[in-house]
Amino acid sequence: MEELDGEPTVTLIPGVNSRKHQMCFDWGPGEMLVCETSFNKKEKSEMVPSCPFIYIIRKDVDVYSQVLRKLFNESHGIFVGLQRIEEELTGKSRKSQLVRVSKNYRSVIRACMEEMHQVAIAAKDPASGRQFSSQVSILSAMELIWNLCEILFIEVAPAGPLLLHLLDWVRLHVCEVDSLSADVLGSENPSKHESFWNLPGNTQTLTELELKWQHWHEECERYLQDCTFASNPHLESLCKIMLGDEAALLEQKELLSNWYHFLVTRLLYSNPTVKPIDLQYYAQSSLDLFLGGESSPEPLDNILMAAFEFDIHQVIKECSIALSNWWFVAHLTDLLDHCKLLQSHNLYFGSNMREFLLLEYASGLFAHPSLWQLGVDYFDYCPELGRVSLELHIERIPLNTEQKALKVLRICEQRQMTEQVRSICKILAMKAVRNNRLGSALSWSIRAKDAAFATLVSDRFLRDYCERGCFSDLDLIDNLGPAMMLSDRLTFLGKYREFHRVYGEKRFADAASLLLSLMTSQIAPRSFWMTLLTDALPLLEQKQVIFSAEQTYELMQCLEDLTSGRPVHGGPDTQQCQDDDIETTKVEMLRLALARNLARAIIREGSLEGS
C-alpha cells in the first residue's frame, strides 16, 4: 500500500454531534448515507431525541453545477474524437494534432470560466457570488496548469522558442500587464504617463529584445559600468533590469503578480535561450526569491514547480489532491498518454494511471441523472477494467421512465451485455405487471428470454380471460411468432388465441383439432381444462359433426380425468357450494353433449363405411 500524502479532509455534517452520538452510514457507488444512531455497545444510555435527518454525502458535487455541465459535455466530444483518431496520429502530423486537441480543451475551460464569471457578477446572493468566484479561480488555475503542460510536454518547445511560449503563457494569464500596457500606450504622450517606467514592455518589444539580447546586454553592461545613467535613477534601474539583475527585478515586485511572472521576466533579461532542462533551477530559485521566506508555497505553486521539473506524475498527483473533481486529471492524463509520456507508469493495484483516473471520472458522471450517458464512453475506452465497471454502474441507474430504460437497454445491447439486458427487461416487466399492463410485461419478459416470468404473465392473461371473457393486447398475442416457444404456458396462450381466431373464421374442423391438441399435449394448465371443455360445447352442438368418435372419446377421457381429480369440499361455505353447483352443471352438460356427439359420430362414420 502507498502511504497517504496527508491527513484526509474532515467533513462536518451540520446537526450531527459525533462526540455524543454514534453514526451509521452506508456506501453507495457515488455517495454515502449518514445518520445518527442510538446504538451504544458500552453502556445503556437514556434515549434522547437526536438529529432526525438522513444526510447524503456526495464525492463529486461539481457534476451538479449547471455551468460545469457545459465543460463536461464539450470535453466529452473532444475526448471521444481523440480516441477515434488515434490510428491516424502518425509522423509529423501527430504532434500538431495533439497540440490542437490540447488547445480545444483549453478553449472549453476558458469559455466555461467566462460564463462562470458572468454568473458570479449576476448573483444576487453574496454567498453564491463568492462560490461562483471561487469556481472562476479554480478554472483559471486549471487553464494555467494545462497551458504550461502543453508547452513543456506536448509542444516540447526547444531552447529559444521555449521562452517565447512562456512569454505568451504569462501574458495570457497575467491580465495586469496587458491592461497597464493599454493604459500607457493609449495616452496622448506615453513617455509622460505616470506608469511608463513601470512597464516591462509590450509583446513586440519583448520579442525583438530576445532576438537582439546579446547586443543589448553588452551595451547595457558598458553603460552601467560607465555610470552613464547615474543622473537618472529610472534609466539606471531599467538598465539593471535589462541585465537581469535579481535585486533590481525584486524592487519592482509589486508589478509582478506572482513568482512565475517573475521567473519569465528574469529569464527574458538573463537567459532568453534557456534550455528546458535548466528551467527547474530557475523556477526553484525564482520561487524562493519571490516568496522570500515570508510565506509557504500554495498547492498551485507546487503543481507548477513539478511541471517545471518535468515530473509529470507529480503534476497529476498534486492536481488530484488539490482539485475538487477528476475532470482535469482524467483528460490531461489521457492526452499525455497519447503523447507516449506515461507508458512506463503502472499503478500497484493493476490498471495504469490513465485508466484509473478515467474510471474515477466516469464513476462520478454516473452519479448524475443525465451525465451518466457521457460516462459510458469513458468506460468504453478503458480496455482493462472499463467493461466490468460499466456493468456494475449501469445496473444501478434508476429506470424512472420507459424512455430512459430504452436508452440504457440500447447501450447494453450495443455492447452485448447479455446479463444486464436480461436484468433490465425483468425490472421493466415487473413494473408493467404491477401497473396491470400485461402486454408490456409479456413483451419485456420475451425480450429478457425469461421463461419463468413469461409463464407468470401468461397465467395472468389466462386468468383475465376467465374473468372477462376476452383477451387484451390481441396484436401482441397474435404476432408472438417463434417467441411463443419460450415457455409451455406462452405456447398455450398463443395457440389458445389461435383457436379463437380460427373459430371466429368459422373453420370449425381446424378449431376442433387445435382445441383437442391443447387438451392432449399436456401444455394446458389443468386449472384451464374446464374452460377448454366449455369452449368445445358449441362445436359439439353444431348441426354438422365436428369431432370424430375417436376425438370425442379423448374429450371424455379428459373430462373424467378432471372430475376424478377434483377435491371434495366440506363445510357450510355458501360461495363454495354455489361454485360446486355451477361446476356440476357444466360437467353434466358436457357429458350430455359428448354422449350425443359420440352417437352422431358413430352413426355418421358407420354410414360412411357402409357406403
Side-chain angles (χ1 to χ4, degrees), residues 64 89 122 134 142 168 224 256 330 358 367 412 418 431 440 468 482 502 549 588:
Y64 296 93
L89 297 176
S134 174
M142 285 164 59
D168 289 337
L224 196 62
L256 303 170
L358 287 177
C412 294
T418 311
K431 285 185 176 180
S440 179
R468 295 161 47 193
V502 171
E588 290 174 355

Side-chain angles (χ1 to χ4, degrees), residues 295-324:
S295 57
S296 301
E298 298 288 333
L300 177 60
D301 300 328
N302 294 331
I303 294 168
L304 296 177
M305 184 56 65
F308 282 123
E309 292 171 353
F310 287 87
D311 190 343
I312 296 174
H313 303 119
Q314 189 64 25
V315 170
I316 295 168
K317 183 177 180 180
E318 294 284 350
C319 289
S320 300
I321 296 170
L323 298 175
S324 58

